[in-house]
């Protein structure tokens, strides 16, 4: 059983160590966008641009804590998930093969490869990139999603352009879509790489509980402030409704 003081909180911690404190089979769903190797595209015309040495091999750094081995954290995600549950992991083409291999080593089965189609593109000489991949994994026996007849493998949600609270911030409505499809109200959702708190916001909006870890103090503080402000807005909305 999870201790009550762990739920509906984000912790400033290294998730690899922090997840070891979570009981086995205590989490209902994982939705996460982990740090992984990235490269740049071309310039604004889609042509080759000058890149620092090592960039093409995926050494571009978007934030401070990026060099993590996939094999260090995927087994812990598998361990803490309950049987017959789902896991959504965002990734890019550069990391897709390794992510799949390590997920299968940990015990996961691939349900499907999902695609988030954005409203913007990254210029490239090898076709412009306008999507991200999402590994839709399961632990144990297959479990149906809640929206059986209406959900397809390509998901069109607007990307966040400008005013991002995190370099790889994901749309809250996209996260809500996955959360609602693979959990029930009151379930516990884990995001080991919480970033600026978007998964927590999505959980609040869908009446799920959450646990998150974020190692970068800057984004941890942003996440705490976002959640505080979001809850205040919800409370104000309820108060306004009651007084009308």
């Amino acid at each position: 059983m999870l201790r009550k003081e762990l739920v509906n909180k984000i912790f400033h911690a290294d998730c690899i160590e922090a997840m070891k404190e979570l009981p086995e089979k205590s989490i209902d769903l994982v939705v996460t966008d982990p740090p992984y190797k990235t490269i740049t595209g071309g310039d604004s015309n889609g042509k080759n641009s000058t890149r620092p040495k090592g960039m093409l091999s995926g050494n571009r750094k978007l934030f401070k804590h990026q060099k993590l081995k996939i094999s260090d954290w995927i087994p812990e995600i598998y361990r803490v998930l309950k049987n017959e549950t789902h896991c959504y992991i965002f990734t890019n083409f550069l990391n897709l093969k390794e992510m799949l291999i390590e997920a299968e080593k940990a015990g996961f089965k691939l349900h499907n490869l999902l695609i988030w189609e954005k409203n913007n593109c990254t210029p490239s000489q090898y076709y412009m990139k306008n999507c991200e991949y999402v590994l839709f994994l399961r632990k144990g026996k297959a479990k149906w999603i809640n929206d059986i007849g209406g959900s397809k493998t390509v998901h069109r949600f607007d990307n966040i352009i400008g005013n991002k609270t995190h370099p790889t911030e994901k749309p809250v409505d996209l996260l809500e879509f996955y959360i609602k499809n693979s959990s029930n109200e009151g379930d516990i959702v884990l995001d080991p790489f919480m970033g600026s708190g978007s998964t927590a916001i999505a959980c609040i909006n869908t009446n799920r509980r959450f646990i998150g870890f974020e190692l970068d103090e800057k984004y941890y503080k942003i996440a705490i402030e976002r959640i505080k402000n979001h809850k205040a807005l919800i409370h104000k909305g309820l108060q306004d409704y009651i007084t009308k």
Side-chain angles (χ1 to χ4, degrees):
M1 289 284 293
L2 272 171
R3 301 195 308 275
K4 288 182 179 180
E5 61 267 26
L6 295 176
V7 180
N8 289 334
K9 289 184 181 178
I10 300 175
F11 298 90
H12 181 212
D14 180 344
C15 72
I16 296 172
E17 293 302 317
M19 280 193 289
K20 293 176 182 177
E21 301 301 316
L22 298 180
E24 184 178 348
K25 299 177 183 176
S26 58
I27 301 297
D28 298 293
L29 171 66
V30 169
V31 180
T32 193
D33 182 21
Y36 46 69
K37 293 178 290 186
T38 57
I39 60 174
T40 57
D43 59 22
S44 60
N45 297 314
K47 298 178 182 179
N48 286 329
S49 58
T50 303
R51 300 180 176 90
K53 185 177 180 182
M55 187 75 79
L56 286 174
S57 61
N59 290 336
R60 180 190 181 200
K61 289 202 73 174
L62 292 175
F63 29 83
K64 186 169 24 174
H65 305 288
Q66 185 164 333
K67 290 188 176 181
L68 291 176
K69 291 182 180 179
I70 298 170
S71 58
D72 286 341
W73 53 265
I74 275 196
E76 278 302 303
I77 285 179
Y78 184 85
R79 183 186 68 81
V80 300
L81 271 169
K82 295 177 182 177
N83 289 325
E84 298 182 33
T85 55
H86 292 157
C87 174
Y88 294 84
I89 303 177
F90 286 84
T91 189
N92 60 5
F93 185 76
L94 183 65
N95 296 272
L96 183 57
K97 183 178 180 180
E98 182 182 359
M99 197 82 76
L100 279 168
I101 290 171
E102 293 301 332
E104 289 181 353
K105 282 183 183 178
F108 282 111
K109 301 295 182 184
L110 180 66
H111 246 326
N112 216 325
L113 180 62
L114 307 177
I115 293 175
W116 167 37
E117 183 180 334
K118 310 177 191 180
N119 62 359
N120 65 323
C121 303
T122 302
S124 172
Q125 63 272 39
Y126 308 119
Y127 296 99
M128 289 198 295
K129 298 178 176 67
N130 68 329
C131 73
E132 285 189 32
Y133 301 99
V134 184
L135 269 62
F136 176 35
L137 307 167
R138 63 178 169 90
K139 177 178 178 177
K141 294 180 180 178
K143 171 191 172 184
W144 290 5
I145 60 172
N146 293 329
D147 183 16
I148 299 170
S151 295
K152 302 177 182 179
T153 55
V154 177
H155 311 136
R156 296 178 176 87
F157 289 84
D158 287 349
N159 191 20
I160 301 165
I161 300 175
N163 296 326
K164 285 189 175 185
T165 58
H166 190 277
T168 61
E169 184 179 349
K170 297 298 182 287
V172 169
D173 52 354
L174 172 62
L175 300 174
E176 288 180 12
F177 175 66
Y178 294 143
I179 288 168
K180 287 190 286 187
N181 253 343
S182 290
S183 65
N184 299 310
E185 291 191 7
D187 280 351
I188 298 175
V189 180
L190 170 67
D191 186 347
F193 306 98
M194 185 60 84
S196 59
S198 297
T199 302
I201 300 294
C203 286
I204 294 168
N205 292 347
T206 57
N207 198 25
R208 271 71 168 173
R209 295 177 290 167
F210 64 87
I211 299 174
F213 304 110
E214 177 52 45
L215 183 56
D216 193 310
E217 186 177 11
K218 172 185 174 181
Y219 297 116
Y220 166 75
K221 289 180 177 179
I222 290 173
I224 296 298
E225 190 66 19
R226 277 186 78 194
I227 292 168
K228 177 183 174 182
N229 293 339
H230 189 69
K231 286 181 176 179
L233 284 173
I234 292 172
H235 180 72
K236 183 179 184 301
L238 288 174
Q239 289 294 95
D240 290 345
Y241 176 78
I242 292 169
T243 55
K244 285 182 180 178

XYZ file of all heavy atoms in Angstrom, residues 10 160 164-166 169-172 175 194-202 204 219-233:
274
model
N 4.480 16.221 -5.829
C 5.681 16.128 -6.657
C 6.872 16.282 -5.728
O 6.890 17.157 -4.862
C 5.710 17.214 -7.745
C 4.497 17.079 -8.671
C 6.998 17.123 -8.567
C 4.394 18.186 -9.695
N 2.404 23.144 -27.901
C 2.536 24.426 -27.202
C 3.649 25.217 -27.874
O 4.805 24.783 -27.904
C 2.859 24.213 -25.716
C 1.742 23.389 -25.059
C 3.030 25.545 -24.998
C 2.130 22.824 -23.717
N 6.481 28.333 -23.210
C 6.526 27.013 -22.579
C 7.129 27.121 -21.181
O 8.040 27.915 -20.946
C 7.371 26.043 -23.417
C 6.693 25.547 -24.681
C 7.514 24.435 -25.312
C 6.791 23.841 -26.517
N 7.527 22.686 -27.075
N 6.640 26.298 -20.269
C 7.226 26.250 -18.930
C 8.348 25.226 -18.843
O 9.001 25.112 -17.820
C 6.143 25.908 -17.885
O 5.548 24.644 -18.220
C 5.065 26.985 -17.851
N 8.549 24.464 -19.929
C 9.576 23.422 -19.991
C 9.904 23.209 -21.470
O 9.009 23.318 -22.320
C 9.049 22.130 -19.376
C 10.086 21.065 -19.178
N 10.464 20.209 -20.196
C 10.813 20.703 -18.085
C 11.383 19.373 -19.725
N 11.614 19.661 -18.458
N 7.567 20.538 -22.951
C 6.235 20.522 -22.334
C 5.193 19.928 -23.284
O 5.143 20.262 -24.463
C 5.831 21.953 -21.953
C 4.509 22.037 -21.232
C 4.168 23.475 -20.853
O 5.065 24.348 -20.977
O 3.026 23.722 -20.440
N 4.362 19.049 -22.751
C 3.317 18.393 -23.533
C 1.956 19.030 -23.244
O 1.706 19.503 -22.142
C 3.259 16.891 -23.212
C 4.538 16.143 -23.572
C 4.808 16.209 -25.071
C 6.046 15.440 -25.499
N 7.305 16.099 -25.099
N 1.057 19.045 -24.235
C -0.280 19.618 -24.018
C -1.040 18.841 -22.950
O -1.064 17.608 -22.965
C -0.955 19.457 -25.385
C 0.151 19.215 -26.360
C 1.233 18.533 -25.598
N -1.672 19.553 -22.052
C -2.422 18.907 -20.972
C -3.561 18.067 -21.527
O -3.840 16.970 -21.035
C -2.949 19.962 -19.971
C -3.952 19.348 -18.993
C -1.789 20.589 -19.207
N -2.357 14.639 -22.552
C -2.131 13.792 -21.384
C -3.453 13.337 -20.774
O -3.590 12.182 -20.355
C -1.292 14.554 -20.348
C 0.091 15.015 -20.832
C 0.761 15.883 -19.777
C 0.977 13.842 -21.196
N 8.502 14.482 -14.092
C 7.338 15.362 -14.068
C 7.553 16.688 -14.771
O 6.605 17.326 -15.217
C 6.913 15.597 -12.618
C 5.648 16.392 -12.442
S 4.163 15.665 -13.202
C 3.627 14.530 -11.924
N 8.810 17.127 -14.913
C 9.043 18.395 -15.602
C 8.324 19.535 -14.906
O 8.446 19.728 -13.699
N 7.523 20.282 -15.660
C 6.846 21.451 -15.095
C 5.437 21.137 -14.604
O 4.657 22.045 -14.346
C 6.805 22.577 -16.131
O 6.115 22.151 -17.299
N 5.085 19.840 -14.508
C 3.857 19.467 -13.832
C 2.631 19.218 -14.684
O 1.518 19.102 -14.153
N 2.785 19.082 -15.993
C 1.623 18.923 -16.873
C 0.820 17.660 -16.571
O -0.413 17.672 -16.626
C 2.062 18.924 -18.339
O 2.632 20.160 -18.688
N 1.505 16.554 -16.259
C 0.787 15.311 -15.935
C -0.034 15.485 -14.666
O -1.164 14.985 -14.569
C 1.768 14.139 -15.788
O 2.518 13.987 -16.988
C 1.024 12.839 -15.501
N 0.492 16.196 -13.694
C -0.249 16.454 -12.457
C -1.495 17.290 -12.742
O -2.580 17.002 -12.206
C 0.646 17.160 -11.447
N -1.362 18.304 -13.576
C -2.515 19.132 -13.947
C -3.580 18.279 -14.628
O -4.776 18.396 -14.343
C -2.081 20.281 -14.877
C -1.051 21.191 -14.206
C -3.293 21.083 -15.348
C -1.560 21.971 -13.029
N -3.139 17.396 -15.534
C -4.075 16.513 -16.238
C -4.786 15.579 -15.267
O -5.975 15.276 -15.438
C -3.329 15.714 -17.309
N -5.415 16.218 -12.014
C -6.363 17.033 -11.266
C -7.636 17.247 -12.082
O -8.757 17.139 -11.566
C -5.722 18.386 -10.880
C -4.578 18.159 -9.887
C -6.762 19.349 -10.308
C -3.699 19.375 -9.666
N 12.585 23.338 -12.562
C 11.293 22.869 -13.046
C 10.427 22.321 -11.920
O 9.195 22.395 -11.989
C 11.497 21.842 -14.160
C 12.176 22.449 -15.355
C 13.444 22.021 -15.767
C 11.582 23.492 -16.051
C 14.077 22.611 -16.838
C 12.224 24.092 -17.120
C 13.467 23.648 -17.517
O 14.096 24.243 -18.577
N 11.058 21.797 -10.886
C 10.306 21.368 -9.704
C 9.541 22.552 -9.108
O 8.343 22.449 -8.799
C 11.265 20.767 -8.669
C 10.659 20.611 -7.297
C 9.740 19.596 -7.029
C 11.005 21.489 -6.267
C 9.175 19.459 -5.761
C 10.447 21.355 -5.004
C 9.538 20.339 -4.764
O 8.977 20.208 -3.517
N 10.209 23.676 -8.957
C 9.568 24.863 -8.391
C 8.463 25.376 -9.316
O 7.404 25.820 -8.841
C 10.612 25.959 -8.144
C 11.555 25.653 -6.993
C 12.563 26.775 -6.790
C 13.463 26.495 -5.590
N 14.471 27.577 -5.395
N 8.704 25.321 -10.627
C 7.674 25.740 -11.586
C 6.445 24.842 -11.466
O 5.302 25.317 -11.476
C 8.222 25.702 -13.029
C 9.253 26.815 -13.232
C 7.095 25.829 -14.051
C 9.979 26.752 -14.564
N 6.677 23.522 -11.349
C 5.572 22.567 -11.235
C 4.738 22.827 -9.985
O 3.494 22.833 -10.038
C 6.112 21.140 -11.226
N 5.399 23.046 -8.856
C 4.693 23.310 -7.599
C 3.824 24.565 -7.730
O 2.660 24.595 -7.294
C 5.690 23.467 -6.432
C 6.447 22.151 -6.189
C 4.978 23.933 -5.171
C 5.576 20.991 -5.798
N 4.386 25.606 -8.338
C 3.646 26.858 -8.502
C 2.476 26.692 -9.473
O 1.386 27.235 -9.238
C 4.608 27.952 -8.999
C 4.037 29.352 -8.985
C 3.757 29.874 -7.578
O 4.326 29.328 -6.620
O 2.967 30.832 -7.460
N 2.683 25.934 -10.557
C 1.603 25.693 -11.519
C 0.433 24.973 -10.856
O -0.737 25.330 -11.067
C 2.105 24.840 -12.691
C 2.800 25.583 -13.790
C 3.115 24.632 -14.937
N 1.939 24.350 -15.751
C 1.877 23.353 -16.636
N 2.899 22.527 -16.785
N 0.788 23.185 -17.368
N 0.736 23.952 -10.088
C -0.321 23.178 -9.429
C -1.066 24.049 -8.418
O -2.306 24.017 -8.347
C 0.281 21.933 -8.750
C 0.782 20.958 -9.810
C -0.739 21.250 -7.851
C 1.642 19.846 -9.268
N -0.333 24.831 -7.654
C -0.944 25.732 -6.680
C -1.897 26.707 -7.369
O -3.044 26.894 -6.927
C 0.162 26.502 -5.933
C -0.352 27.521 -4.938
C 0.817 28.275 -4.315
C 0.325 29.409 -3.419
N 1.475 30.181 -2.857
N -1.449 27.312 -8.456
C -2.269 28.277 -9.188
C -3.476 27.605 -9.831
O -4.568 28.176 -9.874
C -1.429 28.992 -10.242
C -0.371 29.894 -9.643
O -0.479 30.301 -8.488
N 0.657 30.196 -10.409
N -3.270 26.387 -10.350
C -4.362 25.664 -11.002
C -5.458 25.308 -9.998
O -6.658 25.474 -10.284
C -3.823 24.400 -11.670
C -4.815 23.697 -12.541
N -5.264 24.231 -13.726
C -5.458 22.503 -12.400
C -6.136 23.401 -14.283
N -6.273 22.347 -13.496
N -5.057 24.848 -8.841
C -6.036 24.511 -7.801
C -6.797 25.753 -7.347
O -8.003 25.704 -7.068
C -5.333 23.856 -6.611
C -4.888 22.422 -6.871
C -4.230 21.825 -5.642
C -3.878 20.364 -5.863
N -3.200 19.766 -4.675
N -6.085 26.883 -7.279
C -6.730 28.141 -6.878
C -7.779 28.561 -7.907
O -8.861 29.031 -7.542
C -5.679 29.234 -6.706
N -7.468 28.390 -9.183
C -8.417 28.731 -10.242
C -9.647 27.835 -10.181
O -10.781 28.298 -10.372
C -7.747 28.598 -11.609
C -6.783 29.707 -12.010
C -6.062 29.348 -13.309
C -7.527 31.033 -12.177
